[in-house]
Amino acid sequence: MYAQMVESTGKTVKTAAEMTPQEAAFQARIDAGEKIEPKDWMPDAYRKNLIRQISQHAHSEIVGQLPEGNWITRAPTLERKAILLAKVQDEAGHGLYLYCAAETLGISRDEMYDQLHSGRAKYSSIFNYPTLTWADMGAVGWLVDGAAIMNQVPLQRTSFGPYARAMVRVCKEESFHQRQGFDIMMKMANGSDAQKRMAQDALDRFWYPALMMFGPSDKDSVHSAQSMAWRIKMNSNDELRQKFVDQTAPQADYLGLTVPDENLKWNDEKGGYDFSQPDWDEFYQVLKGNGPCNRERLGARVKAWEDGAWVRDGLMAHAAKQDTHLAAE
Ligand code: 3HC
């Protein structure tokens, strides 16, 4: 797969002959499937690339609470409300494990927040789309968490120990999220005509943004070749996108819904579906901050950070007082 990656991206990584002995020994550990732990030697670029990916992942979990948080007060039943509340809380937990994993690489939580709040760090493009109806809660769980699982199950085998271990719990919880989304879609798709229309509309709006979650096509991916050589990433963007379509298209059929793609068709020869690519211009616009909800999402995070200043100040003052007491004893 890695050789294929090099071919499709046109990007190469250092050969063994170009590596220093320390780099070659590091690569050999990765190739042997060993885990790299925070105190181990690692190339600066490995550390930097991991901080980039893990912190973006953490930001995605945190910003990802917003589109669903929007529906907690409007969930149709108490049971649905309790389930959605638990799911949104899980996402906060995922963000925290991931920030912790990134901190072990030498970046502070404040620096990561600052990168997010100043717009320097990315988070997943998907969260810049609005959630307009209750059916969107179904589509988000089914498609967005479904896409996240497709990407994150292989990351349980990623080379950096703290990231791989965080992924084990994250994936267990994401599976529950995906199932609850599918359950909402089943109810809606088998409900009244109006509910069925809502479910179809949610699928129509979330299908292509979900395909974008896997990142640009392999030939345009900046990091894939090196990230795959270091097992920071286990699969290419296109490979995971294909797997996602292959898994999800029959689920849409089961729901009696139509994937909004005239070109979606099973291809016996390749053993997978042919499908249309998302609008990549739209994807890059969202990444630049011009998606439908970018400003609203970032604004909400910055406001939460500023509104919480008094809590952080209070905790710091309390901790300083405790330290003074301990020092006096
Ligand atoms: N949204 C935002 N930015 C994206 C993106 C997306 N969907 N896809 C790619 N990008 C960015 C990359 O971050 C990179 O930008 P940078 O150089 O400024 O960091 C650029 O586009 C080029 O893309 P590459 O393919 O070279 O980037 P990667 O190799 O990092 O691949 C990725 C992108 C597949 C998202 C990879 O980073 C990854 O697997 N990350 C871990 C998983 C993750 O972050 N998931 C977030 C999903 S949401 C989620 O998990 C929340 C849950 O509750 C649903």
Side-chain angles (χ1 to χ4, degrees):
M1 189 59 221
Y2 169 66
Q4 224 175 309
M5 192 67 230
V6 168
E7 200 185 311
S8 58
T9 59
K11 293 185 183 69
T12 51
V13 298
K14 278 187 188 175
T15 62
E18 290 163 338
M19 291 179 194
T20 64
Q22 211 170 17
E23 285 170 343
F26 177 80
Q27 187 65 52
R29 288 188 63 196
I30 301 240
D31 294 343
E34 274 182 46
K35 291 276 174 264
I36 307 299
E37 297 298 336
K39 291 205 165 93
D40 296 348
W41 183 87
M42 59 186 82
D44 271 352
Y46 175 88
R47 183 186 299 277
K48 251 174 91 180
N49 198 5
L50 260 181
I51 290 177
R52 178 193 68 82
Q53 180 169 315
I54 302 175
S55 63
Q56 287 184 6
H57 191 166
H59 298 325
S60 303
E61 301 282 356
I62 297 300
V63 177
Q65 294 177 99
L66 296 170
E68 289 175 293
N70 181 31
W71 278 91
I72 291 173
T73 54
R74 291 177 287 164
T77 65
L78 182 60
E79 192 188 9
R80 291 286 181 200
K81 190 196 286 273
I83 294 170
L84 187 60
L85 194 59
K87 177 187 192 286
V88 173
Q89 282 174 340
D90 284 350
E91 307 297 1
H94 299 173
L96 298 183
Y97 314 144
L98 288 162
Y99 283 128
C100 287
E103 280 175 310
T104 67
L105 290 157
I107 185 167
S108 72
R109 185 107 30 135
D110 282 352
E111 263 174 283
M112 289 187 272
Y113 286 150
D114 188 49
Q115 289 174 355
L116 173 67
H117 297 155
S118 62
R120 280 176 292 137
K122 294 191 171 72
Y123 56 86
S124 184
S125 50
I126 190 75
F127 301 120
N128 293 306
Y129 290 84
T131 45
L132 304 176
T133 70
W134 174 251
D136 288 9
M137 295 303 94
V140 168
W142 172 37
L143 302 174
V144 175
D145 291 271
I149 296 168
M150 193 56 81
N151 179 307
Q152 290 165 23
V153 164
L155 288 179
Q156 294 176 102
R157 292 178 287 111
T158 192
S159 60
F160 187 57
Y163 192 26
R165 290 188 287 274
M167 280 304 109
V168 174
R169 176 155 176 189
V170 168
C171 285
K172 287 203 173 101
E173 293 177 349
E174 296 291 9
S175 302
F176 153 69
H177 299 167
Q178 197 267 354
R179 291 297 293 267
Q180 70 87 37
F182 194 72
D183 187 60
I184 293 176
M185 289 308 271
M186 290 233 284
K187 277 273 177 326
M188 301 293 285
N190 292 304
S192 65
D193 285 351
Q195 284 171 319
K196 187 163 181 176
R197 274 200 303 278
M198 252 193 246
Q200 181 63 54
D201 172 60
L203 171 57
D204 290 348
R205 283 181 290 105
F206 276 95
W207 176 256
Y208 288 104
L211 296 189
M212 292 176 192
M213 287 176 69
F214 298 98
S217 66
D218 290 351
K219 67 177 173 32
D220 297 318
S221 171
V222 182
H223 303 287
S224 288
Q226 183 61 75
S227 291
M228 287 177 75
W230 276 332
R231 295 169 72 90
I232 286 173
K233 224 170 137 165
M234 307 302 290
N235 304 86
S236 82
N237 300 355
D238 285 336
E239 189 188 6
L240 290 175
R241 194 169 6 254
Q242 178 72 54
K243 277 178 128 174
F244 174 75
V245 173
D246 292 347
Q247 175 182 286
T248 313
Q251 295 173 349
D253 271 351
Y254 182 78
L255 289 169
L257 300 177
T258 309
V259 171
D261 179 1
E262 286 176 357
N263 299 317
L264 185 79
K265 196 164 175 276
W266 179 259
N267 179 334
D268 248 344
E269 219 168 281
K270 79 171 180 189
Y273 283 86
D274 290 331
F275 60 95
S276 304
Q277 290 294 310
D279 176 347
W280 292 117
D281 289 340
E282 175 182 320
F283 170 76
Y284 286 112
Q285 280 302 322
V286 174
L287 259 57
K288 276 194 206 148
N290 301 324
C293 298
N294 290 62
R295 281 171 198 81
E296 186 185 330
R297 299 290 186 239
L298 207 53
R301 285 313 314 158
V302 170
K303 181 172 183 315
W305 177 252
E306 286 169 355
D307 289 353
W310 68 273
V311 179
R312 295 191 297 278
D313 290 348
L315 286 172
M316 292 308 281
H318 179 71
K321 213 167 158 196
Q322 293 285 93
D323 284 350
T324 321
H325 281 314
L326 285 175
E329 275 172 15

